[in-house]
Amino acid sequence: MAETIETIDADDEAPAAEETSSSSEDLLVREGDIAGDYLERLLDLLDYDGDIDLDVESGRAIVSIDGGDDLEKLVGGRGQVLEALQELTRLAVQQETGTRSRLMLDIAGWRAGRRAELTELGRTTAETVKETGEKVRLQPMSPFERKVVHDAVAAVGGVKSESEGEEPKRRVVVMPDA
């Protein structure tokens, strides 16, 4: 009899785990849809052209806007306008869903390009620190930028990285892994 109960319990748990995964994915798709609608209204108000692409990746809704000539204005210097729009979009999603969103917004491929630049910066800085044995403090960065640099440094053996300081002057420090 005990074996039967264990089998039933195991079977009962499998659909629950599937439902949780499925409902999590559904919530992310819903976040993307809400964000897409919000951003579509914004583009209409500004009379900007752009194609909105929605995706779910690594447990996060990803929204990209591409294709319009005016989109660079929505990125701003060093991505500051993009960061602000991302926060506004997250707030719009939170207002509708009642939960905090980790949505990522990219406009005109800026984040993808910035990711490549920062990966190279992290790699070359790590190699320099490895050769010289001296720590290097990088310029202040956004949380997105710091994460990309930390990941790039982690891929190089013999060095490590930490963040120091307070926002908005928080920065990555790369040092030998002693």
Side-chain angles (χ1 to χ4, degrees), residues 3 8 27 30 40 49 56 74 83 118 136 142 151 172:
E3 286 180 41
I8 291 171
L27 177 61
R30 183 166 177 244
E40 185 70 42
D49 290 326
V56 173
L74 296 179
E83 291 292 333
L118 291 167
V136 173
S142 71
D151 290 348
V172 174

Side-chain angles (χ1 to χ4, degrees), residues 13-138:
E13 289 175 17
E18 261 180 46
E19 285 175 22
T20 301
S21 174
S22 177
S23 66
S24 175
E25 178 92 7
D26 291 347
L27 177 61
L28 293 175
V29 169
R30 183 166 177 244
E31 284 184 13
D33 288 341
I34 294 166
D37 291 345
Y38 176 80
L39 292 165
E40 185 70 42
R41 288 191 306 271
L42 175 70
L43 290 175
D44 286 346
L45 283 170
L46 296 170
D47 198 26
Y48 285 5
D49 290 326
D51 297 321
I52 298 176
D53 184 42
L54 311 172
D55 199 6
V56 173
E57 185 178 300
S58 303
R60 161 183 290 205
I62 310 287
V63 180
S64 303
I65 305 175
D66 291 301
D69 295 331
D70 296 317
L71 293 180
E72 291 295 322
K73 295 174 188 172
L74 296 179
V75 173
R78 293 200 57 200
Q80 291 175 322
V81 175
L82 171 59
E83 291 292 333
L85 284 174
Q86 177 174 278
E87 274 310 303
L88 289 171
T89 305
R90 285 178 174 175
L91 288 171
V93 170
Q94 181 177 346
Q95 184 176 16
E96 210 161 311
T97 64
T99 59
R100 176 129 169 74
S101 173
R102 294 180 51 239
L103 176 133
M104 178 74 73
L105 175 63
D106 192 7
I107 298 175
W110 186 85
R111 272 196 208 277
R114 185 72 175 139
R115 183 183 309 272
E117 290 172 19
L118 291 167
T119 298
E120 181 63 14
L121 173 66
R123 188 192 62 73
T124 57
T125 303
E127 293 294 340
T128 300
V129 167
K130 190 173 178 177
E131 289 174 18
T132 66
E134 295 181 26
K135 82 168 65 169
V136 173
R137 283 183 172 79
L138 299 175

